[in-house]
RNA sequence: CGGGAAGUGGCGCAGCCUGGUAGCGCACCUGCUUUGGGAGCAGGGGGUCGUGGGUUCAAAUCCCGCCUUCCCGACCA
């Protein structure tokens, strides 16, 4: 391909709204353009990279025996009603009506459709199956952001396993885990496999593949000593015990005029340090007002509350709701004496005595509260979010918190969808059995953005050969010079013949512009054909990642370049 | 949904406070010169100033509504 014939609109400056490095550079280098918020066009260079990422995913999926499908992006609402997700999902799903006023949806994932197809199986002999597709998903995200990292329309590889029993599911799960590690290795993405929340769809094992990056949207707790790694939606830490003083026989009310926060109560004469207070969060779980109580200096992780309560929808209560049910405003709330309202208690409060908490009366608090004695019907669970430096739950060494991009997610789904879609096979004993499913996803565009995010410098992108839009560029510095043009063309043809994906920069531009462009676009190897070296019968081979340049005799240049490209293929 | 910022040519921005009919850099087109790190000179093309309404002799500029985009948070199979 010739650069002069290509549509590669590079920009000297990034659009003002682009903030993340991948966003800025993918736009500047002419890979993507925004159509509107959360929807991007892939330009020719962008599509080349996207397709290579997809091909790597495809080849590793095929290698574990998965079969590729292509399912509709638009689904009948009925299918989603059968699984219960029509009501469960809410505003995140694009919904529309066809000309007959029938409800249809744009698929945000494909459990329903694959399970619908799986209903055609009738014998255990047909299992196991792993099915996948690389398809556009639609999600009406509340806040698309950071270019390709979070969008409303995107390609995802989603696969689903069907097995007769848990042992089969375990095998499919492990096969995916291994395949994912190979995929990210080939993408040159440094991923951490971390324990994760399964979200509202349930399931037990759930592992996310995370790429550390400040523009990510998830926090991972990581122990550098023992390798414990978990999303903070699920991470746990050791909580050192606190010596409580002897308690009172019963809680005691005391006035706290103007005190509204944990910190203020800690400063207040007669108050208590934060770790000796009970924090009371008022939440609405599936429409029901509930309390979540934690140690004063601990933060509630709402995903943990969602997961352990089983609620589908969760939100903070409004001050009005709180006043109506508890009779006080935030700042003076407590769980003592509360009845008829579910109370979720964080494990760190177990056994605590002589605590201080709100009295459900503005400007009053209680001291001398024994958690288990004074608060009725506690539901104990892990609710607190771990903080950096806390001792690892496995080995006690300090945890660190790392911001990450979620590049992949695998989890064991269970039988929810197979049951809903009536998937049933007869086992060897002639008994009807519902296959168990697993669900596994990788966002193609997000993976591409994650690579861009981790492979760039101040000059531009820096693709690994495995997914670079081209392996090499032949830069003819002055195409009007016949010797340069002839040599460049010949090298370009020979590189193509040798199987190197090559673009020939034959544009009649100043050398500086062309060199800067090849660096911005991030092509791994550049063969520079210019008067200076050519006078000695040489060209230059420059590796983008290192900037290392070597002089090569014209006759050997193509072979040497092809060899270096081949050495970095994966 | 809460908080913040911003919409002026393809991109980056100025002009707005103090109203007078739109400007700069880059990019683009033509010509000449130039050719190893984003060239020089000369000439040229391109903008409903997000949108609707209001005030005014006159609105990019002042007032009101709406739309859109970005950032932080909430949310996120």
């Amino acid at each position: 391909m010739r650069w002069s014939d290509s549509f590669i609109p590079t920009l000297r400056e990034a659009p003002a709204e682009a903030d993340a490095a991948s966003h800025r550079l993918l736009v500047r280098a002419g890979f993507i353009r925004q159509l509107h918020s959360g929807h991007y066009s892939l330009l020719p260079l962008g599509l080349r990279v996207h397709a290579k990422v997809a091909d790597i995913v495809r080849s590793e999926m095929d290698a574990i025996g998965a079969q590729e499908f292509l399912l509709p992006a638009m689904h009948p609402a009925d299918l989603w009603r059968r699984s219960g997700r029509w009501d469960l999902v809410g505003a995140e799903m694009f919904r529309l009506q066809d000309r007959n006023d029938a409800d249809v949806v744009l698929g945000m994932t494909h459990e329903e459709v694959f399970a619908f197809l799986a209903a055609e199986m009738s014998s255990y002999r047909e299992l196991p199956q792993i099915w996948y597709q690389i398809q556009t998903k639609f999600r009406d995200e509340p806040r698309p952001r950071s270019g390709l990292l979070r969008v409303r329309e995107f390609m995802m590889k989603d696969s689903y396993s069907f097995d007769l029993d848990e042992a089969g599911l375990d095998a499919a799960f492990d096969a995916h885990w291994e395949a994912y590690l190979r995929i990210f290795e080939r993408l040159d993405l440094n991923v951490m496999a971390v324990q994760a929340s399964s979200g509202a769809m349930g399931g037990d094992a759930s592992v996310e593949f995370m790429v550390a990056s400040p523009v990510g949207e998830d926090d991972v707790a990581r122990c550098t000593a023992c390798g414990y790694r978990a999303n903070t939606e699920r991470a746990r830490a050791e909580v050192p015990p606190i010596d409580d003083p002897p308690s009172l026989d019963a809680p005691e009310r005391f006035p706290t005029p103007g005190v509204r926060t944990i910190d203020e109560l800690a400063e207040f004469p007669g108050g208590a340090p934060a770790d000796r207070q009970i924090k009371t969060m008022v939440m609405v779980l599936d429409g029901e007002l509930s309390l979540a109580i934690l140690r004063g200096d601990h933060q509630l992780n709402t995903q943990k509350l969602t997961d352990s309560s089983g609620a589908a929808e969760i939100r903070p209560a409004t001050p009005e709701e709180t006043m109506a049910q508890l009779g006080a405003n935030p700042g003076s709330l407590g769980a003592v004496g509360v009845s008829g309202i579910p109370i979720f208690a964080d494990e760190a409060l177990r056994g605590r005595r002589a605590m201080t908490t709100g009295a459900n009366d503005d400007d009053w608090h209680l001291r001398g509260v024994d958690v288990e004695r004074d608060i009725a019907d506690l539901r104990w669970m892990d609710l607190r979010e771990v903080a950096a430096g806390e001792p690892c739950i496995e080995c006690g060494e300090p945890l660190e918190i790392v911001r990450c991009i979620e590049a992949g997610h695998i989890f064991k789904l269970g039988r929810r969808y197979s049951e809903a879609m009536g998937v049933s096979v007869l086992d060897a004993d002639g008994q009807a059995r519902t296959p168990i499913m697993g669900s596994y996803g990788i966002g193609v565009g997000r993976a591409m953005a994650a690579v861009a995010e981790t492979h760039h410098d101040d000059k531009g992108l820096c693709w690994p050969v495995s997914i670079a839009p081209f392996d090499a560029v032949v830069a003819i510095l002055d195409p009007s010079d016949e010797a340069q043009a002839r040599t460049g063309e010949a090298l370009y043809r020979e590189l193509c013949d040798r199987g190197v994906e090559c673009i020939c920069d034959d544009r009649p531009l100043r050398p500086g512009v062309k060199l800067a462009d090849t660096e911005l676009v991030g092509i791994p190897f550049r063969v520079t054909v210019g008067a200076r070296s050519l006078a000695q019968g040489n060209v230059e081979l420059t590796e983008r990642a290192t900037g290392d340049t070597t002089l090569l005799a014209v006759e050997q240049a193509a072979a040497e370049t092809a060899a270096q490209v081949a050495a970095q293929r994966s």
Side-chain angles (χ1 to χ4, degrees):
Chain A
M1 178 167 294
R2 268 157 228 291
W3 204 306
S4 60
D5 296 334
S6 307
F7 183 64
I8 305 175
T10 57
L11 300 173
R12 226 162 145 164
E13 292 180 271
E17 65 272 11
D19 196 47
S22 62
H23 187 193
R24 244 181 315 111
L25 291 170
L26 289 171
V27 171
R28 276 191 61 208
F31 287 68
I32 62 172
R33 285 294 184 268
Q34 178 171 298
L35 183 61
H36 63 136
S37 181
H39 299 260
Y40 282 83
S41 305
L42 288 177
L43 276 36
L45 285 187
L47 180 59
R48 290 181 73 96
V49 174
H50 194 270
K52 288 187 178 187
V53 172
D55 280 344
I56 286 174
V57 172
R58 183 176 284 119
S59 73
E60 294 297 341
M61 292 309 297
D62 292 347
I64 61 169
Q67 302 157 79
E68 185 169 7
F69 288 55
L70 184 59
L71 273 32
M74 190 180 284
H75 311 166
D78 172 61
L79 211 56
W80 288 72
R81 291 201 175 97
R82 279 167 68 181
S83 71
R85 289 164 101 188
W86 174 262
D87 295 317
L88 234 155
V89 168
E92 200 184 343
M93 186 154 61
F94 285 105
R95 303 165 200 246
L96 55 157
Q97 277 84 42
D98 68 12
R99 66 203 299 160
N100 300 317
D101 294 328
D103 290 322
V104 292
V105 310
L106 295 178
M108 44 197 294
T109 176
H110 282 74
E111 280 84 358
E112 281 83 354
V113 184
F114 269 115
F116 174 83
L117 288 167
E120 240 176 275
M121 292 189 287
S122 49
S123 161
Y124 74 99
R125 295 176 196 277
E126 294 172 271
L127 297 175
Q129 292 285 326
I130 299 177
W131 295 350
Y132 78 100
Q133 64 169 346
I134 298 173
Q135 232 298 22
T136 303
K137 311 293 184 199
F138 295 90
R139 296 183 189 177
D140 193 354
E141 295 288 346
R143 181 151 99 86
R145 70 182 105 178
S146 304
L148 252 33
L149 281 172
R150 185 159 213 91
V151 289
R152 303 202 300 175
E153 176 180 348
F154 59 99
M155 288 283 234
M156 181 164 102
K157 185 289 296 176
D158 51 324
S159 48
Y160 306 87
S161 60
F162 297 87
D163 288 278
L164 194 61
D165 54 26
E166 276 72 5
L169 174 58
D170 290 347
F173 185 83
D174 291 345
H176 274 88
W177 190 321
E178 295 297 323
Y180 275 34
L181 291 179
R182 284 192 294 271
I183 288 167
F184 293 122
E185 167 90 39
R186 290 175 67 180
L187 297 177
D188 202 25
L189 277 178
N190 195 359
V191 296
M192 297 185 273
V194 312
Q195 298 176 29
S197 157
S198 321
M201 293 304 103
D204 38 14
S206 171
V207 169
E208 288 170 336
F209 294 83
M210 296 297 214
V211 178
S213 166
V215 298
E217 301 175 287
D218 287 275
D219 287 315
V220 168
R222 171 169 74 177
C223 174
T224 47
C226 78
Y228 173 77
R229 285 162 185 181
N231 192 305
T232 51
E233 292 174 346
R234 184 153 165 192
R236 308 189 62 161
E238 206 62 60
V239 179
I242 288 179
D243 255 347
D244 290 323
S247 193
L248 308 174
D249 292 337
E252 173 186 286
R253 274 167 60 95
F254 65 105
T256 50
V259 171
R260 288 289 173 274
T261 66
I262 300 279
D263 288 344
E264 285 165 11
L265 187 57
E267 296 296 318
F268 188 78
D275 61 8
R276 306 210 54 258
Q277 296 183 37
I278 303 171
K279 174 187 285 187
T280 309
M281 310 283 290
V282 189
M283 307 294 291
V284 177
L285 276 58
D286 291 339
E288 183 181 22
L289 192 110
S290 310
L291 299 184
I293 60 173
L294 301 96
R295 207 170 89 181
D297 57 334
H298 289 168
Q299 293 296 317
L300 172 67
N301 183 297
T302 53
Q303 189 64 46
K304 285 186 172 180
L305 180 58
T306 305
D307 289 350
S308 25
S309 67
E313 197 196 317
I314 176 172
R315 62 171 172 86
T318 64
E320 293 72 30
E321 289 168 324
T322 302
M323 177 55 88
Q325 294 252 6
L326 295 177
N329 284 301
S332 302
L333 300 173
V336 176
V338 170
S339 63
I341 295 177
I343 301 174
F344 302 98
D346 182 65
E347 296 286 356
L349 289 176
R350 227 186 249 281
R352 297 299 303 280
R353 294 171 296 139
M355 303 288 280
T356 300
T357 188
N360 286 334
D361 192 358
D362 283 356
D363 299 324
W364 287 85
H365 279 77
L366 298 175
R367 62 165 73 100
V369 174
D370 284 14
V371 175
E372 278 142 294
R373 180 191 67 192
D374 297 323
I375 303 176
D377 294 329
L378 291 173
R379 304 185 199 179
W380 293 101
M381 51 187 60
D382 173 41
L383 294 177
R384 61 180 294 269
E385 179 155 312
V386 302
E390 291 180 347
C392 172
I393 190 85
E394 303 281 352
C395 74
E397 292 301 308
L399 292 172
E400 56 183 24
I401 306 287
V402 188
R403 193 79 166 170
C404 288
I405 298 166
E406 178 191 346
H409 193 174
I410 60 178
F411 62 102
K412 298 181 180 176
L413 261 187
R415 296 188 167 81
R416 174 197 172 102
Y417 297 95
S418 42
E419 209 156 73
M421 297 302 147
V423 186
S424 175
V425 299
L426 293 183
D427 67 12
D429 300 324
Q431 299 295 310
R433 302 268 295 270
T434 302
I436 187 165
M437 292 175 64
S439 168
Y440 319 89
I442 290 182
V444 177
R446 183 183 283 183
M448 171 178 163
V451 175
E453 203 61 54
T454 51
H455 293 67
H456 65 84
D457 57 23
D458 54 349
K459 292 177 179 158
L461 294 161
C462 207
W463 298 104
V465 168
S466 58
I467 59 168
F470 293 95
D471 299 325
V473 53
V474 174
I476 304 173
L477 293 188
D478 181 5
S480 69
D481 176 87
E482 204 190 320
Q484 289 181 50
R486 202 175 47 239
T487 307
E489 288 288 334
L491 277 172
Y492 166 64
R493 272 194 301 273
E494 189 182 345
L495 283 166
C496 291
D497 289 345
R498 288 175 178 272
V500 174
E501 283 187 39
C502 197
I503 182 167
C504 182
D505 191 355
D506 55 345
R507 295 174 298 169
L509 298 176
R510 314 218 16 120
V513 176
K514 298 164 73 167
L515 298 178
D517 266 354
T518 69
E519 285 155 352
L520 176 60
V521 165
I523 299 170
F525 292 98
R526 181 180 70 218
V527 178
T528 309
V529 181
R532 207 166 61 195
S533 304
L534 199 54
Q536 270 74 50
N538 293 325
V539 295
E540 293 148 37
L541 177 59
T542 305
E543 186 176 356
R544 174 66 181 87
T546 59
D548 292 346
T549 296
T550 49
L551 272 184
L552 297 174
V554 170
E555 308 77 56
Q556 272 111 56
E560 177 58 24
T561 303
Q564 293 209 21
V565 168
Q568 291 192 20
R569 280 236 164 85
S570 63

